[in-house]
Amino acid sequence: MTSPRTTLFWAPRLLGIVFIVFLSLFALDAFNDFHGFWPAIVAFVIHLIPSFVLTVVLLVAWKWEWAGAILFCGAAACYALIAFRHPSWVLTISGPLVVMAALFFASW
């Protein structure tokens, strides 16, 4: 049986990994409008930029939980500002980011 402290340590980290994988799946949309091999690869990499950024945020958060709480909360706010016209998108993307921020804060 794991202790609550261990669970609180691993929960935001595992949720972060799962969320980044989930977000990365949207990059596969770049292959729908196939205009050649290299343009598709470039579009794929561009679509992966948010996943790369969140991976860096997760790596920082892994070491410094307080920084992770701030950065994940900031990422949620930035996305909410960008996609404010699509409330369901904001809930789908910013919601888990806020949960991760709260879990990193609690872990700290």
Side-chain angles (χ1 to χ4, degrees), residues 4-70:
R5 185 166 170 84
T6 303
T7 302
L8 193 55
F9 177 83
W10 284 106
R13 289 157 174 84
L14 293 176
L15 182 60
I17 292 169
V18 169
F19 181 74
I20 291 168
V21 169
F22 167 72
L23 198 62
S24 298
L25 290 175
F26 291 111
L28 295 174
D29 190 39
F31 294 110
N32 282 347
D33 300 326
F34 195 76
H35 298 294
F37 179 75
W38 290 112
I41 294 298
V42 169
F44 180 67
V45 172
I46 289 171
H47 281 74
L48 282 175
I49 289 173
S51 297
F52 295 148
V53 170
L54 287 178
T55 300
V56 170
V57 169
L58 183 61
L59 290 173
V60 169
W62 207 287
K63 179 98 172 144
W64 300 287
E65 288 92 355
W66 63 269
I70 293 169

